[in-house]
Amino acid sequence: LDVSMDTWSYFHTCLVSIWLHRFYIYAAVAFGISLWIVIQFTTTRTKRKVSEDLLQELGADKLGNGCAPPQAQEAHVAGVKIFYGSQTGTAKRFAKALAEAVTSLDLPVEVINMGDYDPEDGLAEEASSRNICVFLVATYTEGQPPESAAWFCKWLEEAASDFRVGKSFLQGLRYAVFGLGNSAYVDHYNAVGRRMDRWLWMLSASRIMTRAEGDCNVAQSKHGSIEADFEAWKAKFLTQLQALCKGEKKPCSGKCKKGKCKSSGKQSKESSDHEHGTSEHENTEAEELFETSSEEEAGGTDSVIDVEDLGNVMGHMKKAKVLLLEGVWHALHGVNHPGCHLGSFVCQFFQAKLNCLMIFALFSGYKLIGSHSGVKLCRWTKSMLRGRGGCYKHTFYGIESHRCMEATPSLACANKCVFCWRHHTNPVGTEWRWKMDQPEVILQEAIENHQNMIKQFKGVSGVKAARLEEALAVKHCALSLVGEPIMYPHINCFVRLLHQRGISTFLVTNAQFPEEIRRLEPVTQLYVSVDASTKESLRRIDRPLFKDFWQRFLDSLKALAEKQQRTVYRLTLVKAWNVDELKAYADLISLGKPDFIEVKGVTYCGESSASSLTMANVPWHGEVVSFVQELARLLPEYGIACEHEHSNCLLLAHSKFQVDGEWRTWIDYGRFQELVREHERSGGSRTFTAAEYAARTPPWALFGARERGFDPLDVRFQRKNKARDISGC
């Protein structure tokens, strides 16, 4: 017992001593860890230095079995291409002066007017050409590019924010940007140069030097005039160019943080924009470059927004939250100020939130209309303008894609689908909560905005003049841009206005508003999205807001069966989510009795915190064909009519559209307009059916045709040396 007591006493003494001296122990441990970190850092740096020295001693020609290492390959310069966008001729003059200076270095040089260049075809090739691309671009009225550079800038902007274009689309392209502007116009000073620099970087192009800006305002110009600013930048550019030719310097890594560029082993201080209180022209070669990782900057590529506007966005959100909290406070405490009702504050909150979300949409290529509508130029419109083929609606129903306007009178939606191509940047809701714009105003502004976007293609390489002229007269309207168009309380009036202008209507609904479907007046073609065939899978995929979503879904399909005009089920296949429910899909089809069934593979929209989908969830076209063939075997009244391989899409049609062995899935648009006018003149008593305005489907659009749904009048464009992250339309 004495021995055990002595042992315990000894341990107790040790523990007490350790406790009393614990701070010394902590300090010793911290010192040891710090010393280990310093040793590791020093050792790594020494090894790297030795490796670099060894590379220089051996020479590039003796490494890699006679192949130059990657850095040496990057340093080699094949030539210089100078792109300019000029309104008054200054940028053009600078481009020629720079070309003369580059020629003196015995390097091939080419001066290119942005208005004569097709960036979609050319820039991708420059990524592997080992050329240096220089962009001299002026900022014109209200921060817009010169007319000659409008399409070039528009294409860059859309490519940078389009999920179909990979983030590494311009990887390998080395570039420098010199902007021309006037600091007297503080709100738009050198806006075009800044944006172009950012868009190129977002597409993984590499800067060889920091963007520079020339200032026409001699009082504020760093060197006294824009000519002097250019000469100073030109000297630095030529020095950097010579270094790259010799392999002495690497291009800017594009990993700059917090306004500091660490290229070439040194830091070049960068200033913030005018909006941050510092005159950017005081530090010409250094500005904030929005340097974060591409994932951080893009946040899902659709949510890019100018830093200049970020304060306004956050201000709107804060104001909305304050309004809501004040409204709740007054309601709970019985404060009876005029207009201080909880309902009104909630409405103001939702309106402010919608405004903020609309700002995000604005920077994704949308043209916003009023407080709840939008219009956007579809990529298939651009494709058909250039004779490169139309969308699947052209193949299935005969629309002219270059004359189609994609719009919506309601940005809001009642679902948060996992494959939403907007990454849920649009608002959601189960009822109308926003200030309502009149349908006449929405339509007029939608057409004007659409026409203005079309006009930007004038003079663009490859655009067919005849189609450009036709495109200015809108013939079709796809009410499927985003959100739930049928939520708009004046949707019937809006549809009538479209018909009065001779514009056909393709309206898409998410099957959550059955009564609105019943009240809807005739449209050219009414779609219902059938994204799943069981209650649980619909809950997982569409993530609807309504608690009674399944009953609403079924009632919407029943309402569709009551329609006499053309109706369509739109099935979006998501591999591992909804492709094994064939019998359940067949049951839903018997419930809604649609005229047509579109089956399409899901389009991968890029990474997003709002969705867990990956490219693994995108079915191959062969898998979509197999699904449709199996589904057709369960539906004796339907047959496979059409295919559009490029959109990963097929069309099942009811047998009543097969007349004398020929499919009649196309639409006689002139006949439809006649029928709908008779319907309106009769006050709705004169009804008509889908069969009355059906037209013969051309052989090239049929399933099994050699063309696989591609119009032989157009030429299919295959991108050189670049694969696009794209599936579907």
Side-chain angles (χ1 to χ4, degrees):
L1 183 62
D2 292 340
V3 174
S4 62
M5 289 297 293
D6 289 344
T7 303
W8 166 249
S9 178
Y10 172 75
F11 280 113
H12 180 267
T13 302
C14 291
L15 290 172
V16 170
S17 178
I18 291 172
W19 176 253
L20 292 174
H21 298 87
R22 63 188 183 278
F23 295 109
Y24 297 105
I25 296 172
Y26 295 159
V29 171
F31 176 77
I33 293 174
S34 301
L35 185 62
W36 180 81
I37 292 173
V38 170
I39 292 173
Q40 290 295 319
F41 177 77
T42 306
T43 304
T44 303
R45 192 170 182 178
T46 303
K47 288 180 179 179
R48 187 183 302 145
K49 178 66 176 173
V50 170
S51 299
E52 290 176 355
D53 292 342
L54 183 60
L55 287 174
Q56 292 177 358
E57 290 175 7
L58 291 175
D61 57 333
K62 296 182 180 179
L63 294 179
N65 295 325
C67 297
Q71 289 182 4
Q73 291 179 4
E74 291 178 1
H76 180 70
V77 178
V80 177
K81 289 192 175 182
I82 304 170
F83 298 84
Y84 70 87
S86 180
Q87 191 70 31
T88 62
T90 305
K92 181 178 181 180
R93 179 160 47 87
F94 286 174
K96 291 182 177 179
L98 182 61
E100 292 177 3
V102 172
T103 303
S104 66
L105 300 178
D106 293 327
L107 280 174
V109 63
E110 184 178 358
V111 178
I112 302 170
N113 183 347
M114 291 182 184
D116 300 330
Y117 187 79
D118 186 349
E120 185 172 10
D121 296 344
L123 284 184
E125 296 178 9
E126 295 300 337
S128 57
S129 68
R130 294 187 298 175
N131 287 325
I132 301 295
C133 293
V134 182
F135 300 93
L136 307 177
V137 61
T139 297
Y140 195 46
T141 308
E142 296 297 318
Q144 296 302 309
E147 293 179 9
S148 62
W151 164 244
F152 191 100
C153 294
K154 183 70 174 177
W155 181 87
L156 264 185
E157 178 186 14
E158 293 185 350
S161 61
D162 191 341
F163 65 81
R164 302 175 182 90
V165 179
K167 294 179 181 178
S168 60
F169 185 68
L170 294 182
Q171 187 171 6
L173 174 69
R174 295 176 292 171
Y175 75 96
V177 174
F178 181 84
L180 294 81
N182 191 324
S183 60
Y185 302 95
V186 109
D187 292 337
H188 307 295
Y189 176 59
N190 261 308
V192 177
R194 296 177 189 177
R195 292 169 189 159
M196 180 174 289
D197 182 38
R198 183 170 71 254
W199 295 329
L200 288 166
W201 181 84
M202 288 171 62
L203 292 169
S204 297
S206 302
R207 304 180 183 96
I208 65 168
M209 60 191 297
T210 309
R211 181 186 73 246
E213 298 179 351
D215 193 352
C216 289
N217 186 354
V218 294
Q220 297 295 332
S221 172
K222 183 178 180 181
H223 299 93
S225 69
I226 192 170
E227 286 79 9
D229 292 337
F230 172 71
E231 290 299 327
W233 171 81
K234 184 176 74 171
K236 293 182 180 180
F237 171 76
L238 295 174
T239 301
Q240 176 74 345
L241 183 62
Q242 288 176 302
L244 287 171
C245 291
K246 297 175 183 177
E248 295 176 359
K249 292 186 178 182
K250 298 185 295 182
C252 176
S253 64
K255 297 180 179 179
C256 312
K257 299 287 183 180
K258 298 181 180 178
K260 293 183 178 181
C261 183
K262 299 182 180 180
S263 299
S264 309
K266 66 180 181 179
Q267 297 180 349
S268 58
K269 190 176 181 181
E270 302 189 78
S271 65
S272 58
D273 292 343
H274 283 279
E275 293 81 354
H276 295 166
T278 303
S279 297
E280 194 165 315
H281 52 269
E282 292 178 358
N283 195 347
T284 308
E285 66 269 10
E287 314 85 21
E288 185 169 351
L289 294 176
F290 306 92
E291 309 259 31
T292 58
S293 68
S294 55
E295 290 82 2
E296 289 170 336
E297 180 160 6
T301 56
D302 293 299
S303 57
V304 177
I305 187 165
D306 255 332
V307 168
E308 288 91 340
D309 298 289
L310 191 56
N312 293 333
V313 173
M314 298 310 296
H316 284 304
M317 287 301 293
K318 290 178 181 177
K319 182 179 179 181
K321 291 178 181 177
V322 169
L323 282 170
L324 181 62
L325 292 174
E326 285 181 353
V328 172
W329 174 266
H330 291 313
L332 292 176
H333 291 78
V335 179
N336 192 25
H337 292 298
C340 287
H341 300 292
L342 178 59
S344 66
F345 277 102
V346 170
C347 288
Q348 290 183 56
F349 169 74
F350 277 107
Q351 187 64 54
K353 185 174 182 181
L354 178 61
N355 290 340
C356 298
L357 292 166
M358 288 174 73
I359 291 172
F360 278 92
L362 177 64
F363 292 94
S364 300
Y366 282 57
K367 297 296 182 183
L368 301 177
I369 303 165
S371 61
H372 53 74
S373 308
V375 63
K376 190 176 190 288
L377 209 60
C378 174
R379 78 180 186 93
W380 288 108
T381 299
K382 307 171 195 174
S383 176
M384 202 160 189
L385 280 172
R386 307 172 83 177
R388 294 179 176 180
C391 68
Y392 74 89
K393 291 189 186 75
H394 172 63
T395 299
F396 295 174
Y397 314 120
I399 78 161
E400 298 172 86
S401 300
H402 63 298
R403 303 184 68 182
C404 181
M405 177 176 71
E406 191 175 23
T408 181
S410 171
L411 292 168
C413 187
N415 290 344
K416 297 194 290 184
C417 305
V418 295
F419 52 76
C420 177
W421 69 288
R422 288 300 315 132
H423 291 306
H424 309 144
T425 54
N426 60 304
V428 293
T430 57
E431 60 182 348
W432 191 264
R433 294 174 179 266
W434 299 278
K435 175 185 175 183
M436 189 159 29
D437 300 320
Q438 293 304 306
E440 295 85 359
V441 175
I442 297 173
L443 179 57
Q444 184 62 35
E445 292 192 22
I447 292 176
E448 288 177 0
N449 279 304
H450 177 81
Q451 289 173 335
N452 288 336
M453 289 187 283
I454 291 292
K455 289 175 183 177
Q456 293 179 357
F457 284 81
K458 186 176 181 180
V460 172
S461 176
V463 170
K464 296 180 178 295
R467 288 191 177 179
L468 182 66
E469 188 67 27
E470 291 173 345
L472 293 173
V474 178
K475 187 176 180 181
H476 317 283
C477 182
L479 294 167
S480 60
L481 176 60
V482 71
E484 181 64 84
I486 210 167
M487 280 182 72
Y488 178 50
H490 295 325
I491 186 62
N492 280 327
C493 181
F494 187 72
V495 166
R496 284 197 301 272
L497 290 171
L498 285 165
H499 292 161
Q500 287 169 13
R501 289 176 176 249
I503 300 173
S504 64
T505 47
F506 293 76
L507 190 147
V508 180
T509 176
N510 290 318
Q512 289 296 294
F513 296 91
E515 292 308 315
E516 284 75 4
I517 292 176
R518 288 190 174 93
R519 289 196 295 266
L520 184 67
E521 294 184 7
V523 295
T524 310
Q525 190 157 282
L526 177 60
Y527 289 78
V528 166
S529 294
V530 181
D531 302 323
S533 60
T534 66
K535 184 176 181 179
E536 287 308 310
S537 59
L538 188 69
R539 187 200 308 273
R540 287 187 300 114
I541 293 175
D542 278 7
R543 298 188 289 190
L545 300 185
F546 284 109
K547 292 182 180 179
D548 59 340
F549 68 92
W550 183 246
Q551 189 58 49
R552 284 176 167 272
F553 179 73
L554 296 178
D555 288 345
S556 294
L557 301 186
K558 294 175 183 176
L560 195 77
E562 300 169 8
K563 295 294 179 180
Q564 294 182 292
Q565 293 75 43
R566 294 168 66 108
T567 57
V568 183
Y569 273 15
R570 189 154 87 171
L571 277 60
T572 301
L573 299 186
V574 186
K575 194 187 294 186
W577 286 68
N578 65 355
V579 296
D580 301 320
E581 306 169 352
L582 282 164
K583 181 62 172 65
Y585 276 120
D587 293 339
L588 291 179
I589 290 167
S590 65
L591 184 66
K593 301 179 177 61
D595 295 321
F596 304 98
I597 305 162
E598 294 176 5
V599 184
K600 179 181 178 299
V602 67
T603 299
Y604 178 59
C605 303
E607 297 177 3
S608 168
S609 58
S611 172
S612 59
L613 294 187
T614 67
M615 281 298 295
N617 298 113
V618 179
W620 295 98
H621 185 64
E623 294 173 315
V624 176
V625 172
S626 298
F627 178 92
V628 172
Q629 289 172 334
E630 292 181 32
L631 182 61
R633 281 193 281 270
L634 299 175
L635 303 170
E637 294 183 338
Y638 291 84
I640 306 176
C642 303
E643 174 186 28
H644 192 250
E645 182 187 33
H646 194 58
S647 290
N648 202 10
C649 188
L650 281 89
L651 180 71
L652 285 161
H654 195 280
S655 56
K656 66 184 178 183
F657 290 94
Q658 193 171 30
V659 181
D660 298 329
E662 290 186 336
W663 283 110
R664 298 177 63 82
T665 67
W666 275 36
I667 297 172
D668 184 337
Y669 293 100
R671 179 59 180 154
F672 170 78
Q673 295 298 342
E674 292 175 3
L675 292 168
V676 81
R677 281 195 293 271
E678 291 176 12
H679 172 80
E680 291 178 4
R681 282 196 295 265
S682 67
S685 61
R686 164 66 167 98
T687 60
F688 60 98
T689 64
E692 292 183 63
Y693 57 100
R696 177 177 171 273
T697 309
W700 60 263
L702 298 175
F703 176 67
R706 177 175 55 86
E707 293 85 355
R708 308 297 293 271
F710 190 87
D711 191 336
L713 294 177
D714 290 327
V715 178
R716 189 161 185 174
F717 174 69
Q718 301 288 351
R719 188 168 303 282
K720 300 176 183 177
N721 305 323
K722 282 285 179 179
R724 294 177 64 137
D725 298 335
I726 176 171
S727 173
C729 66

